[in-house]
């Protein structure tokens, strides 16, 4: 995990490439903030001028969030006077950054705390495209691929998604049914996530790996990259990954 003592804010205004990692939906932001509370995540809170302190979220209300105070009174005064308090943390090895404005000191359960309105946007930075979620068998994630056979005739094939990331998916197909070429773009494919309508998308073939089976047959593992993924589709994929990770972590902690 990133050392909070050395964590530095990212200038989201200057780095335009970060927009696809920004969450603006109130429900999504509240969900992530609640996860920070549930996971007892520590937060580096920057008040400007090189000043920061380590804190944690205490509670989430409908329109505000409560933050633990610093043991240093001077740090609390700087936070209350600052135009914004920039908060940096990590959740499941993914960097989270958001700004709190309009802080006020309150008393929560007999102890001082800092209250601020919910942030209107939140950075969930998952640059590591190599990180892939192994899809549980019970989820039955599937993808419909539109490709061509050796005679260049159109072929549609359905296969199971075995892992998924913010950048793409991996699936396993029978050899000989279709011809796949690295760099080829597969138009009008359909990704089926649980409890939602299929997502229409374009996939680019990034790698093809033969996988011998115990019975002597062979399958092909396809690594497929999302191409120009619409924002709403990306949000749904990220939400699926996030919820599945939370469920898995909860089972592991509960010994289930």
């Amino acid at each position: 995990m990133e050392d909070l003592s050395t964590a530095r804010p990212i200038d989201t205004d200057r780095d335009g490439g970060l927009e696809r990692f920004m969450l603006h939906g109130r429900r999504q932001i509240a969900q992530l903030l609640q996860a920070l509370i549930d996971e007892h995540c520590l937060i580096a809170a920057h008040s400007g001028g090189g000043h920061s302190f380590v804190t944690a979220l205490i509670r989430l209300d409908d329109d505000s969030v409560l933050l633990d105070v610093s043991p240093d009174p001077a740090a609390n005064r700087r936070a209350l006077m600052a135009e914004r308090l920039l908060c940096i943390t990590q959740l499941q090895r993914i960097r989270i950054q958001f700004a709190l404005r309009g802080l006020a000191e309150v008393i929560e359960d007999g102890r001082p705390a800092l209250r601020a309105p919910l942030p209107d946007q939140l950075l969930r930075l998952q640059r590591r495209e190599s990180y892939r979620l192994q899809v549980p068998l019970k989820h039955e994630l599937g993808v419909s691929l539109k490709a061509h056979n050796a005679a260049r005739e159109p072929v549609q094939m359905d296969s199971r998604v075995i892992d998924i990331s913010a950048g793409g998916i991996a699936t396993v197909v029978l050899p000989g049914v279709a011809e796949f070429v690295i760099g080829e773009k597969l138009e009008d494919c359909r990704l089926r996530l649980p409890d939602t309508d299929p997502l229409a998308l374009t996939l680019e073939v990034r790698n093809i790996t033969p996988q011998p089976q115990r019975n002597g047959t062979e399958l092909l593992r396809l690594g497929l990259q999302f191409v120009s993924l619409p924002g709403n589709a990306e949000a749904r994929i990220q939400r699926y990954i996030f919820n599945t990770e939370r469920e898995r972590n909860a089972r592991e902690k509960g010994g289930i």
Side-chain angles (χ1 to χ4, degrees):
M1 180 175 176
E2 183 179 11
D3 185 356
L4 285 177
S5 65
T6 60
R8 292 293 179 264
I10 296 174
D11 190 339
T12 55
D13 293 330
R14 289 188 177 182
D15 193 341
L18 294 177
E19 179 56 34
R20 66 193 181 103
F21 299 103
M22 299 297 295
L23 299 182
H24 299 278
R26 187 179 184 86
R27 183 176 179 181
Q28 284 184 295
I29 291 174
Q31 183 183 38
L32 266 174
L33 294 180
Q34 185 60 54
L36 296 180
I37 297 172
D38 295 341
E39 298 295 327
H40 307 288
C41 297
L42 295 178
I43 293 172
H46 294 257
S47 55
H51 297 290
S52 66
F53 63 95
V54 176
T55 181
L57 299 181
I58 300 174
R59 182 166 56 83
L60 192 66
D61 292 331
D62 290 338
D63 58 357
S64 64
V65 62
L66 263 67
L67 196 71
D68 199 8
V69 296
S70 168
D72 179 6
N76 295 323
R77 288 195 296 271
R78 286 192 291 266
L80 291 167
M81 295 174 60
E83 179 183 353
R84 65 175 185 173
L85 189 67
L86 199 54
C87 299
I88 303 170
T89 185
Q90 282 196 359
L91 179 64
Q92 299 165 0
R93 300 182 298 277
I94 298 173
R95 182 181 175 122
I96 306 293
Q97 178 176 307
F98 56 93
L100 297 177
R101 304 175 187 272
L103 270 74
E105 190 170 13
V106 297
I107 300 299
E108 175 72 9
D109 295 331
R111 298 178 54 186
L114 300 173
R115 181 189 297 275
L118 289 179
D120 55 8
Q121 64 179 16
L122 182 148
L123 175 68
R124 184 176 186 266
L125 184 58
Q126 186 176 353
R127 285 193 188 277
R128 297 175 301 121
E129 302 292 356
S130 59
Y131 171 76
R132 309 189 75 86
L133 172 74
Q134 299 295 316
V135 175
L137 282 173
K138 66 177 183 179
H139 286 188
E140 299 182 347
L141 248 69
V143 61
S144 295
L145 303 176
K146 289 195 174 182
H148 294 85
N149 60 18
R152 300 310 297 167
E153 297 169 335
V155 174
Q156 180 170 324
M157 52 195 310
D158 293 334
S159 59
R160 186 176 69 86
V161 175
I162 57 178
D163 64 45
I164 186 170
S165 76
I169 60 174
T171 187
V172 177
V173 300
L174 290 170
V177 178
E179 293 286 316
F180 296 100
V181 178
I182 292 178
E184 178 185 14
K185 290 183 173 59
L186 309 178
E187 307 283 348
D188 198 25
C189 299
R190 295 288 188 275
L191 176 64
R192 298 184 298 276
L193 299 174
D195 303 321
T196 185
D197 294 333
L199 298 175
L201 39 78
T202 299
L203 298 168
E204 180 178 339
V205 181
R206 300 295 295 176
N207 55 73
I208 305 171
T209 308
Q211 291 194 329
Q213 305 299 297
R214 291 182 179 179
N215 61 7
T217 62
E218 187 176 83
L219 297 175
L220 294 180
R221 183 186 189 277
L222 302 180
L224 303 168
Q225 180 177 309
F226 300 134
V227 177
S228 302
L229 196 64
N232 61 335
E234 182 175 1
R236 288 163 65 182
I237 292 168
Q238 289 275 21
R239 185 161 56 249
Y240 166 75
I241 294 173
F242 173 73
N243 289 336
T244 303
E245 286 176 334
R246 287 196 68 186
E247 292 172 4
R248 180 174 296 169
N249 290 338
R251 287 197 303 270
E252 291 174 354
K253 288 183 179 181
I256 300 175

